[in-house]
Amino acid sequence: MPSTRSGTTRRRFLAAAAAGGAASLAGCRALGDGRPTPGTDDSTEWPYPARDPQATAYAPDAAAPRQGVTERWAVEASRPTDRPVVAEGRVFLPGPEALHALDLTTGESVWSVGPGEGPWTNAPAVVDGTVYATFREPPGVLALDPSDGSERWRADLGPVSAPPVVSEDGRCYVGTRDGRVVALDAATGETAWTYDLFGEVVELTFRPPTLVVGTAAGEVYALYDSDGPRELWRRKVGGKVVALARVDGGDTLVSAFGGKLRRLANGAHTGSDRWANRDGGTAQGGIAVAEGLVFGGNGGGLTACGTREGDTEWTAPGDFRPGLAIAGDTVYAGREGEVVAFAHSGGIGVGGFAVGRERWSHEVSGTPLEGLAVADGAVVAATGGTEESESRTYVLDPA
């Protein structure tokens, strides 16, 4: 049985305190200082790869493990090609050959859909009882019934390179490998409009009425959709866009390959930097945003910085490239062989050490490659396996 390790021990704390002497507590964020509170809703879903169309990866009301976990189930499954999505009683797992649906309660395989040969699946969006599945090989987009995987419509757009977002007024937006953003009628799959960009589309976020798009060519576009697209602004960010998220006020958080996490302004200074964080580096697995802090992970560690000024608030060492998830007051991350839970606040610091920062860790087979999800009171992780073990998908309940 894989083990769960609780966070900081008293011995480690005392050793750090002795080494730090009378170190100052200034600048540290204490637990319970008005930041997020534990979630209580154990029936939430995770219907997008980063939870919502704004890509915040944050479920404020979701109940989730805070003090340790037990495995609801762990099953051998496809190696993930994107983040898991959880909705309609299913775990939707993108794989190289198909999109797989697993029963959320038991882990049993319910259905798999994979058009063509080796379609290489993106994470779907599950909205109003429809699974919007996109593939990096033709046909590109399928609308599926979540109960049995039956096809409702398809859109032959060629290779689709980014997960979709769906608006409340019935538009399904997708981005293609050849540099197009396509708006589809979410009910029928008919094309409403197409807009040409420079470079493969890799990220999409939507916060009404603006669609923000990131490309592999290192550009970010803001498009206003009013019976057709209108470009509001365009910004070069120096490298392939690897993560986007939207925050209150309409600003955009962006991380580009080889660059820093930055906040781009909305309004009068559209597209310009409000700030660029100098410490954390590229957020390789995505951005997570919750209550005044934005989190990003990479091979050098996990960084939390303030959304207002971009100053680093706290860090955790390790290889945290998989996408993060936040529920209530807890940040969930993946590293080699483990799923780890951190306090949103970063705990209480003494010198270079913090009490209560890491809440627990749980052993898994391999690394949660693409990222985590939180739903139904649990943490969901899909790993890539190891030389000795197969890829596995886990649902982790509170202990």
Side-chain angles (χ1 to χ4, degrees), residues 34-56:
R35 293 293 174 178
T37 56
T40 58
D41 187 350
D42 62 3
S43 63
T44 61
E45 297 184 327
W46 195 273
Y48 284 89
R51 209 267 171 169
D52 51 43
Q54 295 82 26
T56 64

Side-chain angles (χ1 to χ4, degrees), residues 338-367:
E338 289 185 312
V339 175
V340 189
F342 294 97
H344 173 279
S345 66
I348 302 173
V350 177
F353 189 70
V355 175
R357 177 164 298 171
E358 183 178 318
R359 290 183 165 160
W360 54 260
S361 64
H362 183 76
E363 292 181 6
V364 294
S365 173
T367 301

Side-chain angles (χ1 to χ4, degrees), residues 220-254:
V220 179
Y221 297 77
L223 304 178
Y224 175 73
D225 183 7
S226 177
D227 296 325
R230 178 164 63 89
E231 187 175 308
L232 299 178
W233 54 263
R234 176 180 179 180
R235 167 70 190 275
K236 292 183 180 295
V237 291
K240 177 183 177 180
V241 174
V242 297
L244 288 177
R246 307 291 293 284
V247 294
D248 290 343
D251 285 4
T252 300
L253 296 164
V254 58

Side-chain angles (χ1 to χ4, degrees), residues 8-23 349-355:
T8 306
T9 66
R10 181 174 181 273
R11 179 178 297 175
R12 289 171 65 196
F13 168 64
L14 293 175
V350 177
F353 189 70
V355 175

Side-chain angles (χ1 to χ4, degrees), residues 127-141:
V127 181
D128 294 334
T130 297
V131 180
Y132 297 93
T134 61
F135 303 90
R136 297 175 214 180
E137 296 296 336
V141 188

